Amino acid sequence: MATFISVPLKKSSEVDLVKPLSKFVTATYPTGEDQGEYLRAVEELNKLRKNALGRPLDKHESSLEILLRYYDQLCAVEPKFPFSENQLCLTFTWKDAFDKGSLFGGSVKLALASLGYEKTCVLFNAAALASQIAADQNLDNDEGLKAAAKYYQLASGAFGHIKDTVLSALSREPTMDISPETVGTLSIIMLAQAQEVFFLKATSDKMKDAVIAKLANQAADFYGDAFKQCQYKDNLPKYFYFQEVLPVLAAKHCIMQANAELHQSALAKQKKRFGEEIARLQHAAELVKTVASRYDEYVSVKDLTDKINRALTAAKKDNDFIYHDRVPEVKDLEHIGKAALVKATTITPPLSQKFTDLFEKMVPMAVQQSMSIYNQRKADTVNRLLGTMREATNLCNGVLASLNLPAALEDLSGDSIPQSIAEKSRSIVQQGGLQSIEQLIKDLPELLTRNREILDESLKMLDDEETTDNELRTKFNQRWNRTPSADLYKPLRAEGANFRNILDKAVQADQVVKDRYNTHCDMIALLCKPENELNAAIPSANPIKTLQGSEVVNVLRSQLAQLDAMKKERETLEGEIKAVTFDMSVVFLTALAQDGAINEEQLSVSQIDQLYGAYNQRVQASLSTQEALLGQVQTSHQEFSSLKQSNTEANQREEVLKKLASAHDSYVEISSNLREGTKFYNDLTEILLKFQNKCSDIVFARKTERDELLKYVLRFPQQLGHISTDVSAFFLYTLQPQPPQQAQQQPPARPQPPERPPPPSFTPQAASTPPTNTPLTGPPTSNPPPVAPPSQAQGPPYPTYQGYPGCVFIKSGREGGGV
């Protein structure tokens, strides 16, 4: 009767993925089709987790497919969200698969804010379920044998993958069920069982005895390795699961070795080595006799024993009466070869055959971060180009205003409002005049105050939680051993300090704008008056109509027209620069796929140079043109001024016209600055609200953790010293009290097994052989193991309490090879 070992599944607590992931999506991606698609994907991911972990799973391939699809989705989503304890904090809680707890201690849980931990536990469950599906196969047909071999190899690969990655995925000590030594042992056990299935397949197909012997000997070797792993790992024997598994592994090692000897004896008979045939059959008989005497409770070898004994009886009879061949010692026999036909499945996502990434359109966080920096570089480049042109235009307007141009050319009559001044006056009135600017100035302090309040409230949440954490740390000393809030909040405090610095600079900029407004307020008010009042406020001067139509006036007007054309060209150029677009995410994704990393600076600088290099040249050419034209205008204006009749009235009039032109330019710039300031404060409000949400989320997580930890510290005041716990890792212990009337009752004792001899002493034909004289860690002292006779070595422990409900031994009806 073939006995196969399966592994129990871990159990997980429910986790709400929708709220935190949806909050990240809405905060990161603008409202639109992509955001809606990502929000629906979040809902599907939450449903997928519930289907994979929130209900009992049948031992069927469809259930395994659900687990693998959830694992694949976790692998796909990991680089696309900033999962960490101070960004997107999701705490996953899992129970130890093997530790069922005790009456007073409760079962062990580990809660960890790590997606790597979730992936590890899900993969453990996939491996465990694969072992259960394999053990449940009907080994009487080829389909069952193939399926069993496939799933055992998958389980072996999954456990092996956990062994290699669990420490780096968790960055701290895991629970024992997913520790490297535990999953490493389970990986070997699964591989041994896969090899045994191949042996059964070869037996069923009546392959050559030489091949079957090698397959069996390799299986014996794997089982011997697994037995040693269980026996010599310090913590494994403490699990009742492994106390039950140990004797099965020892029995399987003997059974596979006995099968190897049986089939090798048939090969010896074919080669007419009758003495070797008898020696091998005698050794096989000793091995199955040992199994029957020690491990009959776990495996039955009756059929295999009968088969070996019949073959041994016939061989002895023939040799005694016919061949008289010398029977050699077992130690002198040639070693049986080995043939490993199994290999642990490589874990390379996607493992599911039906996997489709729910977040296929979402780019990885590395690309998102690179895109953010690239967009900032691009914005800086655009702002630099636009700022350069605007500063040059303001300089040009200032020079012309200081020369009273073009008003001086339009004011040749000396007693009417120049056309340019009249147009400037109408422009200011249309834009709202003084009332518009004063309203914008009035709104700025309110916007500033709102932003300061949001920032202060956010930092106060951190301060209050940190103060509470420090008080509890002082009270409980080393037992309050979670990450200090002061360390965890450093990135948030640095971000808050940056926001405060931005606000302080904004206040200074606001004051500069207000001072400029106060300087030009009177002239702006004059420009807002009706035309007759504005004309009356401008001093009159003697007419200089003789200059009308002169060459110098025509030259000046031509030069001013060129300057106007240059300004319009700049407006067009500014629109072109703003309209430049390029999907840089494709470049970053390609680099990430090819190199595994993104050199953002090199790629961004190169692309920005390609996009804006030509525009930069056009901006510089425009600056050169302005410089040349302004030089020509100043020269022509000097000639124009020398021809004008100079008197006090004319000078006063020209001075007022200069101030009016300058006031108009200042009005336009002040209005633009105030509107930009209003937009800045409104945009900053949204950013600060996101910052406030981040602070609120992490403070809530810390408070939840604090309450759980405080509850445990008060309940178990002496038992927390060795436990590592913080916002990303803490052990929870759940008490399971018994009803009062049963408090004094002892659980029914399991019948004591008879004294058993020690594990067999393996021959050199098995490469990996556990020693027979090393005592193992026994069960609790209240239930001591049976004591073997003094002449025998100490065997594996045999507990006397109730059997472990999670350890499932599936017994198939097949008796392949007599097992």
Side-chain angles (χ1 to χ4, degrees):
M1 184 84 59
T3 303
F4 288 91
I5 299 168
S6 63
V7 180
L9 274 66
K10 292 171 67 69
K11 292 182 180 179
S12 174
S13 300
E14 184 175 352
V15 177
D16 180 18
L17 302 179
V18 175
K19 183 177 179 181
L21 294 184
S22 297
K23 184 181 291 186
F24 172 81
V25 168
T26 53
T28 305
Y29 298 94
T31 303
E33 183 178 345
D34 286 346
Q35 186 190 94
E37 183 177 341
Y38 296 154
L39 291 176
R40 289 190 294 272
V42 168
E43 296 282 354
E44 289 299 318
L45 179 62
N46 197 54
K47 291 179 182 178
L48 183 57
R49 187 182 196 276
K50 288 183 178 179
N51 288 336
L53 308 177
R55 60 186 179 87
L57 296 177
D58 297 330
K59 298 175 185 178
H60 191 269
E61 186 176 1
S62 59
S63 298
L64 181 60
E65 178 69 20
I66 294 174
L67 271 175
L68 293 178
R69 191 152 63 91
Y70 179 52
Y71 176 79
D72 289 337
Q73 188 59 67
L74 291 177
C75 294
V77 84
E78 185 174 24
K80 298 181 179 181
F81 287 86
F83 295 103
S84 66
E85 55 184 308
N86 56 5
Q87 292 189 63
L88 187 54
C89 184
L90 281 172
T91 301
F92 301 100
T93 304
W94 288 81
K95 291 182 179 180
D96 189 309
F98 302 125
D99 192 314
K100 292 302 176 183
S102 63
L103 179 63
F104 300 103
S107 58
V108 176
K109 299 179 183 179
L110 175 61
L112 208 58
S114 164
L115 194 72
Y117 175 51
E118 174 86 343
K119 285 170 52 183
T120 297
C121 294
V122 172
L123 187 58
F124 181 95
N125 272 11
L129 184 59
S131 74
Q132 294 179 13
I133 295 173
D136 206 38
Q137 295 297 313
N138 179 8
L139 302 183
D140 289 330
N141 57 64
D142 283 351
E143 289 75 14
L145 289 166
K146 291 178 181 178
K150 169 187 170 184
Y151 290 123
Y152 280 135
Q153 289 177 90
L154 173 61
S156 177
F159 286 131
H161 184 77
I162 295 172
K163 175 188 175 184
D164 296 335
T165 60
V166 63
L167 295 182
S168 59
L170 273 62
S171 300
R172 63 191 71 246
E173 193 69 24
T175 47
M176 273 304 302
D177 57 344
I178 57 173
S179 67
E181 59 185 13
T182 303
V183 291
T185 301
L186 293 175
S187 178
I188 298 175
I189 292 175
M190 296 299 117
L191 202 61
Q193 296 189 145
Q195 180 73 17
E196 182 181 353
V197 171
F198 272 96
F199 158 76
L200 294 176
K201 178 72 167 62
T203 304
S204 174
D205 293 345
K206 302 186 185 307
M207 297 181 70
K208 293 181 179 180
D209 289 305
V211 174
I212 298 176
K214 291 178 181 179
L215 292 175
N217 199 34
Q218 182 65 68
D221 197 28
F222 283 146
Y223 278 120
D225 287 345
F227 181 86
K228 288 199 299 183
Q229 288 279 341
C230 290
Q231 192 176 28
Y232 294 121
K233 294 297 183 182
D234 293 338
N235 294 312
L236 297 187
K238 297 177 183 178
Y239 276 136
F240 182 61
Y241 175 86
F242 286 102
Q243 293 175 4
E244 288 279 293
V245 165
L246 265 172
V248 176
L249 296 178
K252 284 295 192 81
H253 177 91
C254 295
I255 292 170
M256 287 295 102
Q257 199 172 12
N259 275 288
E261 295 287 7
L262 175 62
H263 288 279
Q264 193 69 19
S265 72
L267 184 63
K269 182 178 181 180
Q270 294 170 16
K271 295 181 180 180
K272 302 188 183 303
R273 299 174 183 172
F274 304 108
E276 177 185 342
E277 177 192 9
I278 294 172
R280 292 192 181 278
L281 288 172
Q282 287 176 340
H283 185 214
E286 292 173 1
L287 288 169
V288 293
K289 181 179 179 181
T290 301
V291 173
S293 62
R294 302 178 187 178
Y295 311 118
D296 184 58
E297 180 183 358
Y298 299 95
V299 291
S300 172
V301 288
K302 182 178 184 301
D303 292 338
L304 179 60
T305 301
D306 292 344
K307 185 175 182 179
I308 292 172
N309 287 337
R310 286 196 302 270
L312 179 59
T313 301
K316 282 184 176 180
K317 181 178 179 181
D318 290 345
N319 193 55
D320 289 343
F321 287 96
I322 304 173
Y323 307 115
H324 305 289
D325 195 9
R326 186 183 68 83
V327 178
E329 295 289 335
V330 172
K331 63 181 181 179
D332 296 329
L333 294 175
E334 181 181 352
H335 289 186
I336 302 173
K338 300 171 187 175
L341 296 186
V342 295
K343 183 179 180 182
T345 302
T346 303
I347 303 300
T348 305
L351 301 175
S352 168
Q353 298 177 356
K354 302 178 181 179
F355 173 69
T356 53
D357 188 2
L358 296 173
F359 301 88
E360 185 175 4
K361 291 185 179 180
M362 185 182 290
V363 297
M365 280 304 300
V367 176
Q368 293 182 35
Q369 293 167 356
S370 297
M371 283 296 298
S372 177
I373 301 174
Y374 163 76
N375 288 331
Q376 185 60 50
R377 292 183 191 275
K378 178 183 173 183
D380 291 344
T381 301
V382 171
N383 291 336
R384 177 176 56 80
L385 293 174
L386 300 185
T388 299
M389 290 192 293
R390 290 173 182 176
E391 288 178 8
T393 300
N394 291 337
L395 175 62
C396 178
N397 292 337
V399 170
L400 295 180
S402 68
L403 301 177
N404 194 28
L405 293 175
L409 299 180
E410 300 163 352
D411 191 36
L412 297 180
S413 65
D415 56 1
S416 62
I417 301 176
Q419 182 181 353
S420 62
I421 297 298
E423 291 176 355
K424 288 177 170 60
S425 174
R426 286 192 293 271
S427 174
I428 288 178
V429 172
Q430 290 174 358
Q431 295 180 51
L434 282 178
Q435 184 178 1
S436 172
I437 287 186
E438 288 175 351
Q439 185 60 46
L440 290 172
I441 292 177
K442 180 181 177 182
D443 291 342
L444 286 182
E446 297 179 4
L447 298 173
L448 172 66
T449 301
R450 181 177 61 178
N451 285 329
R452 286 196 184 278
E453 288 175 351
I454 295 173
L455 180 59
D456 292 340
E457 183 180 347
S458 302
L459 296 177
K460 185 176 183 299
M461 285 191 291
L462 302 182
D463 292 337
D464 293 345
E465 199 284 324
E466 184 176 333
T467 300
T468 304
D469 181 65
N470 291 335
E471 291 174 352
L472 291 171
R473 191 176 306 282
T474 302
K475 179 177 180 180
F476 294 108
N477 298 321
Q478 294 181 351
R479 289 189 293 149
W480 197 259
N481 58 349
R482 68 173 185 169
T483 303
S485 296
D487 295 340
L488 199 61
Y489 295 159
K490 283 181 180 179
L492 289 174
R493 292 199 180 280
E495 196 173 352
N498 182 50
F499 287 136
R500 195 172 296 283
N501 184 46
I502 290 173
L503 287 174
D504 292 341
K505 290 182 178 179
V507 171
Q508 298 174 8
D510 293 345
Q511 189 59 47
V512 171
V513 175
K514 290 177 184 177
D515 292 343
R516 185 168 186 179
Y517 170 71
N518 293 332
T519 301
H520 297 278
C521 178
D522 294 338
M523 285 294 135
I524 295 174
L526 185 58
L527 285 171
C528 293
K529 292 181 179 298
E531 187 172 338
N532 59 338
E533 294 184 23
L534 175 60
N535 191 26
I538 301 174
S540 299
N542 292 330
I544 49 175
K545 293 183 179 179
T546 55
L547 291 177
Q548 189 74 32
S550 66
E551 182 180 356
V552 67
V553 171
N554 292 335
V555 170
L556 267 176
R557 284 176 175 167
S558 174
Q559 291 168 345
L560 293 177
Q562 292 181 56
L563 286 174
D564 288 339
M566 180 197 68
K567 292 177 185 177
K568 291 180 180 178
E569 183 183 346
R570 284 180 181 171
E571 291 177 0
T572 303
L573 181 57
E574 181 173 326
E576 292 178 8
I577 292 175
K578 289 181 178 178
V580 172
T581 57
F582 182 78
D583 188 3
M584 194 66 184
S585 62
V586 176
V587 177
F588 289 142
L589 283 170
T590 302
L592 186 62
Q594 292 178 350
D595 305 330
I598 300 175
N599 189 338
E600 181 278 327
E601 182 176 2
Q602 178 183 349
L603 295 173
S604 296
V605 171
S606 174
Q607 189 61 47
I608 288 173
D609 286 345
Q610 293 180 30
L611 294 175
Y612 296 101
Y615 292 109
N616 186 57
Q617 293 177 4
R618 291 172 62 182
V619 170
Q620 296 303 318
S622 178
L623 297 181
S624 300
T625 301
Q626 173 178 304
E627 185 178 359
L629 285 174
L630 285 179
Q632 296 172 13
V633 167
Q634 288 173 324
T635 301
S636 300
H637 183 267
Q638 289 177 359
E639 184 179 350
F640 172 75
S641 298
S642 65
L643 295 176
K644 289 174 60 178
Q645 184 179 356
S646 179
N647 56 53
T648 303
E649 293 178 352
N651 291 337
Q652 289 178 348
R653 181 179 177 82
E654 185 169 349
E655 191 63 31
V656 171
L657 293 176
K658 289 180 181 179
K659 289 183 179 179
L660 289 174
S662 179
H664 169 268
D665 294 339
S666 296
Y667 178 88
V668 172
E669 188 173 353
I670 290 170
S671 296
S672 176
N673 291 338
L674 289 173
R675 288 188 176 89
E676 289 177 358
T678 301
K679 183 178 184 302
F680 163 79
Y681 282 123
N682 287 330
D683 292 345
L684 185 61
T685 298
E686 294 184 11
I687 297 173
L688 287 174
L689 287 174
K690 293 179 182 178
F691 175 73
Q692 186 181 43
N693 286 336
K694 287 166 62 177
C695 294
S696 176
D697 289 345
I698 193 171
V699 167
F700 177 78
R702 293 285 284 180
K703 286 182 178 179
T704 303
E705 174 211 11
R706 180 193 67 200
D707 294 342
E708 293 288 350
L709 184 57
L710 184 61
K711 186 188 304 182
Y712 185 82
V713 169
L714 296 177
R715 182 178 293 176
F716 305 104
Q718 304 298 328
Q719 297 183 16
L720 198 65
H722 67 286
I723 296 176
S724 173
T725 168
D726 55 40
V727 72
S728 62
F730 55 94
F731 283 106
L732 304 177
Y733 291 81
T734 306
L735 284 181
Q736 301 171 347
Q738 300 294 322
Q741 64 270 22
Q742 297 178 359
Q744 302 301 322
Q745 297 179 6
Q746 297 295 328
R750 179 179 177 179
Q752 292 282 348
E755 289 189 1
R756 304 185 182 277
S761 57
F762 304 130
T763 70
Q765 297 177 11
S768 300
T769 307
T772 60
N773 57 354
T774 303
L776 301 177
T777 304
T781 54
S782 58
N783 294 304
V787 180
S791 60
Q792 297 176 332
Q794 179 63 47
Y798 293 90
T800 57
Y801 44 87
Q802 288 292 333
Y804 175 66
C807 178
V808 182
F809 298 107
I810 307 297
K811 298 187 177 181
S812 74
R814 179 179 177 83
E815 299 184 5
V819 183

